[in-house]
Amino acid sequence: MIDVLYFAWVRERIGLPRETLETQAATVADLVTELKAREPRYEAAFADLSALRVALDQELSEFDAPLKGVREVAFFPPMTGG
Amino acid sequence: MIDVLYFAWVRERIGLPRETLETQAATVADLVTELKAREPRYEAAFADLSALRVALDQELSEFDAPLKGVREVAFFPPMTGG
Amino acid sequence: MKISVQAAPFDLGAELSEFGTGRADVGAVVSFTGIVRDDSGQMHALELEHYPGMTEAAITRIAQEAVERWDLADALVIHRHGRLAIGETIMMVATAARHRAAAFEAAEFLMDYLKSRAPFWKKEHGPGGTSWVEAKDTDEAALKRW
Amino acid sequence: MKISVQAAPFDLGAELSEFGTGRADVGAVVSFTGIVRDDSGQMHALELEHYPGMTEAAITRIAQEAVERWDLADALVIHRHGRLAIGETIMMVATAARHRAAAFEAAEFLMDYLKSRAPFWKKEHGPGGTSWVEAKDTDEAALKRW
């Protein structure tokens, strides 16, 4: 089981802030492929990965990173703080 | 007649903060030559011109600048504010 | 070192009044304050979303890196989230160091990292609805100098 | 624009509380505060001599140049003179601009110029008497970047 969090327009497009999933995905990219296959709103949210960032257990990571041992995955657009 | 002001260690070496002089000096350098000839304390204060700065009517200037029309000359070491 | 992620306003003067004081080795304090700007003349408010938990951790890591790299006597970061009106203070950083160059550099480093590496997202509320602020290439480029 | 040369202490928080506020085009405020440091561990006090009249004129000119060059919404310089204890605030500058890069650059420019072009001279009071602080080559070199 893995917690998946969405922020900013990713959250708005998917329509929920977080969900808990059962997945066999080996990498973040594999998880994205699974999610896109679920529904058009996921397909829309993940259409352009270059416009997205990912954090694994609250640390910025990459889409080819392995998911083994990870409890929390977050997807969001580039940050605009400060 | 010209007002001559001294600051920091220039003031301390010469022993006074300001004086009013009658001078025919054409440039700042000429005025310095006149002053050095007056007394050893002036000679000591003006021994190394590279360690001094000059302002004419409260604007930073150069030692070869003309004195014509100038009412106030100030001599001091490099500034150390801020 | 003080790190705070909060919805409430903060008092810049109060935060700075004691910052970096009481030490004989601090000669320079630099502060930066970010304020809600309205370039279009039509914005109603700015909304800041963040990632609770990760935000504090990311900012703490960035601030610790600044303290070590510039040998800071102290560092302070306050960043707000939620809905803010035009002219309201979004965030502040402060750095205390022996010399001015270190205090300035560390504050700029903190700002560059907060802009692009702390998990905040800005949304503008205007007459035509809302829109997410897009990340600027210049902000990403600013990181390269460190 | 506020320029003040004064013997009295100032309240950093009070000075900054209204600075740059009330305008929709200000997104960034940077402040710098200079504090009396004691590197030797033996200093009793710092004394600042200045050139009344020229000081205000020189600082005003420097600040106006910064306002024009970085299109600042506002600039503030306060510089004290007289005898100051360790830990006391010597001076401050503040800049308000649309973007952070301009606010930071203008504040650093002001500091570099105040260090070497405003007529102040520092004298340290220690156990062995007094000595004038010498100008640093690095301060003169810092001017070259502008």
Side-chain angles (χ1 to χ4, degrees):
Chain A
M1 301 290 278
I2 198 164
D3 286 324
V4 185
L5 281 66
Y6 310 110
F7 292 98
W9 58 253
V10 182
R11 171 178 56 70
E12 291 180 338
R13 278 193 207 171
I14 291 174
L16 79 176
R18 65 188 300 155
E19 56 188 321
T20 303
L21 302 175
E22 193 82 57
T23 179
Q24 307 303 322
T27 67
V28 177
D30 292 343
L31 176 62
V32 168
T33 303
E34 276 185 20
L35 290 167
K36 286 171 78 173
R38 291 171 77 184
E39 284 181 53
R41 56 198 170 102
Y42 288 94
E43 177 83 45
F46 290 105
D48 178 10
L49 286 194
S50 73
L52 291 181
R53 300 289 179 268
V54 62
L56 301 183
D57 289 331
Q58 307 192 350
E59 289 229 26
L60 277 175
S61 189
E62 304 291 335
F63 283 90
D64 59 3
L67 281 184
K68 191 172 158 66
V70 171
R71 289 160 305 155
E72 185 173 302
V73 181
F75 295 103
F76 42 78
M79 291 90 139
T80 53
Chain B
M1 300 290 281
I2 197 164
D3 287 322
V4 186
L5 282 66
Y6 311 110
F7 292 98
W9 58 253
V10 183
R11 171 179 54 71
E12 291 179 337
R13 279 193 206 172
I14 291 174
L16 77 175
R18 67 186 301 153
E19 55 189 321
T20 303
L21 301 175
E22 193 81 58
T23 179
Q24 307 303 324
T27 67
V28 177
D30 292 343
L31 175 62
V32 168
T33 304
E34 276 185 20
L35 289 167
K36 285 171 81 173
R38 293 172 77 185
E39 283 181 55
R41 57 198 170 102
Y42 289 94
E43 176 84 46
F46 291 104
D48 177 11
L49 286 193
S50 74
L52 291 181
R53 301 288 179 269
V54 62
L56 301 185
D57 288 332
Q58 307 191 350
E59 289 228 27
L60 277 175
S61 189
E62 304 293 335
F63 283 89
D64 58 3
L67 281 184
K68 191 174 158 65
V70 171
R71 288 159 305 155
E72 185 172 300
V73 180
F75 295 104
F76 42 77
M79 292 90 140
T80 55
Chain C
M1 200 170 88
K2 171 179 173 177
I3 307 295
S4 177
V5 178
Q6 60 189 53
F10 58 87
D11 181 337
L12 172 66
E15 296 296 340
L16 285 179
S17 70
E18 298 293 307
F19 184 78
T21 62
R23 299 179 54 144
D25 62 348
V26 171
V29 167
V30 167
S31 79
F32 176 91
T33 315
I35 297 157
V36 181
R37 208 177 61 228
D38 179 19
D39 286 338
S40 65
Q42 303 207 310
M43 198 165 84
H44 298 156
L46 188 71
E47 192 182 331
L48 273 129
E49 182 171 335
H50 78 121
Y51 184 169
M54 178 172 168
T55 319
E56 292 80 354
I59 295 178
T60 301
R61 203 161 44 227
I62 291 165
Q64 277 168 344
E65 193 181 327
V67 166
E68 283 167 34
R69 189 158 160 189
W70 283 279
D71 196 19
L72 301 181
D74 205 358
L76 164 75
V77 179
I78 302 175
H79 205 305
R80 295 176 65 190
H81 56 82
R83 191 184 172 100
L84 305 178
I86 291 155
E88 273 198 83
T89 303
I90 306 171
M91 51 81 64
M92 71 170 289
V93 308
T95 55
R98 186 175 290 270
H99 298 290
R100 75 185 187 284
F104 270 118
E105 276 189 27
E108 290 185 76
F109 166 86
L110 282 172
M111 284 310 304
D112 286 348
Y113 269 82
L114 288 171
K115 283 265 172 193
S116 304
R117 293 292 181 271
F120 288 98
W121 300 274
K122 288 187 181 128
K123 190 187 209 174
E124 293 182 356
H125 291 252
T130 65
S131 65
W132 292 98
V133 173
E134 285 194 48
K136 284 184 284 183
D137 290 344
T138 50
D139 285 336
E140 192 61 33
L143 288 183
K144 295 233 159 57
R145 59 177 162 156
W146 305 113
Chain D
M1 200 170 88
K2 172 180 171 177
I3 307 294
S4 176
V5 179
Q6 60 188 56
F10 57 87
D11 181 336
L12 172 65
E15 296 296 341
L16 285 178
S17 69
E18 297 293 307
F19 183 78
T21 62
R23 300 180 51 145
D25 62 348
V26 171
V29 167
V30 167
S31 79
F32 176 92
T33 316
I35 297 157
V36 181
R37 209 176 61 228
D38 179 19
D39 286 337
S40 65
Q42 303 206 309
M43 199 167 84
H44 298 156
L46 188 71
E47 192 182 328
L48 274 128
E49 181 171 336
H50 76 122
Y51 183 169
M54 178 172 168
T55 320
E56 293 80 355
I59 295 178
T60 301
R61 201 161 47 225
I62 292 165
Q64 278 169 342
E65 193 181 328
V67 166
E68 283 166 33
R69 188 157 161 192
W70 282 280
D71 196 19
L72 301 180
D74 204 359
L76 164 75
V77 180
I78 303 176
H79 205 306
R80 296 176 65 192
H81 57 83
R83 191 184 172 101
L84 305 178
I86 291 155
E88 272 198 84
T89 302
I90 306 171
M91 50 80 64
M92 71 171 289
V93 308
T95 55
R98 186 175 291 269
H99 298 290
R100 74 185 187 285
F104 270 117
E105 275 189 29
E108 290 186 75
F109 166 86
L110 282 173
M111 284 309 305
D112 287 347
Y113 269 82
L114 288 171
K115 283 266 172 193
S116 304
R117 292 293 181 270
F120 288 98
W121 300 275
K122 288 189 181 125
K123 190 186 210 175
E124 292 181 358
H125 292 251
T130 64
S131 67
W132 292 98
V133 173
E134 286 194 46
K136 286 185 282 185
D137 290 344
T138 50
D139 284 336
E140 191 62 32
L143 288 184
K144 296 234 158 57
R145 58 176 162 156
W146 305 114

